[in-house]
Amino acid sequence: MSKWKKIGIGAAALVVVLLIVIATRPSTYHVERSATISASPDAVFAQVADFKKWDAWSPWSKLDPNMKTTFDGTQGTVGATYAWTGNDDVGEGKMTLTAVDPNKRVDIKLEFIKPFASTAQNGFKLEPAGKDTKVTWFMDGTNDFMGKAMCLVMDMDQMIGKDFEKGLADMKKIAEAAPAQAPEAVPAAAKN
């Protein structure tokens, strides 16, 4: 057997092993970070349910000062959208509110268009913590073959988790600086 044939067989074997390793990577990912904010759930909810408020605390908004954004629908309600187009750091995509439970939870469909297409479920859970509010920012998605390959060289939890931590820290500053809002009166029939 010639030297080149041995090299070719060895290279083919390495490719097969790499393909097997990639195929065995997890097909889903979950990223989650939490922070406790010294503000009421309605003050925190106002920050996460209204896409127009995201520029003040979102870690990605600061990456491209020339980013173009478009809002559609009634903010804070199911169907409201936020679309963006920016530089290579922010790419292009769209977020759509898919579920809203006032002062408790917001679910968002996150669609990336550029630099690569993908979809993830994103959102926030709010829980009273005494006089404070615990806010949890989460993201769940699936990895296709290319996503699994990328996971060999980058850790999604560490990469996105750092951005979540920065965003939550900035949101905390804003929500804690906002004037306190009186809770809306709840009709007696709705209290049960």
Side-chain angles (χ1 to χ4, degrees), residues 43-55:
V44 178
F45 181 77
Q47 294 298 317
V48 300
D50 184 347
F51 288 134
K52 291 181 179 179
K53 294 189 178 185
W54 282 45
D55 280 350

Side-chain angles (χ1 to χ4, degrees), residues 31 33 154-163 165:
V31 179
R33 296 293 187 275
M154 65 179 207
D155 183 320
M156 192 70 136
D157 184 73
Q158 288 180 358
M159 185 176 74
I160 299 296
K162 288 178 186 177
D163 290 335
E165 290 165 9

Side-chain angles (χ1 to χ4, degrees), residues 74-156:
T74 302
Q75 292 303 307
T77 64
V78 171
T81 64
Y82 169 75
W84 73 92
T85 302
N87 63 21
D88 290 343
D89 291 329
V90 296
E92 182 179 350
K94 179 180 179 182
M95 292 188 289
T96 305
L97 287 180
T98 57
V100 176
D101 188 357
N103 302 335
K104 294 181 181 174
R105 186 175 172 122
V106 173
D107 288 353
I108 301 163
K109 179 180 180 183
L110 176 59
E111 300 170 272
F112 291 104
I113 300 166
K114 291 180 182 175
F116 54 88
S118 70
T119 302
Q121 299 306 312
N122 195 359
F124 298 87
K125 294 181 276 187
L126 308 177
E127 302 171 74
K131 292 183 179 181
D132 301 335
T133 301
K134 178 183 176 187
V135 58
T136 302
W137 192 354
F138 63 90
M139 181 188 300
D140 293 296
T142 58
N143 289 321
D144 59 11
F145 186 81
M146 286 306 295
K148 289 180 179 186
M150 289 174 62
C151 287
L152 292 176
V153 294
M154 65 179 207
D155 183 320
M156 192 70 136

Side-chain angles (χ1 to χ4, degrees), residues 10-38:
L14 284 175
V15 168
V16 168
V17 169
L18 180 62
L19 292 174
I20 290 170
V21 169
I22 291 171
T24 61
R25 302 304 307 154
S27 58
T28 61
Y29 63 87
H30 176 79
V31 179
E32 180 177 300
R33 296 293 187 275
S34 297
T36 301
I37 298 178
S38 296

Side-chain angles (χ1 to χ4, degrees), residues 10 101 141 150 174 181 191:
D101 188 357
M150 289 174 62
I174 292 165
Q181 298 175 350
K191 288 183 181 178

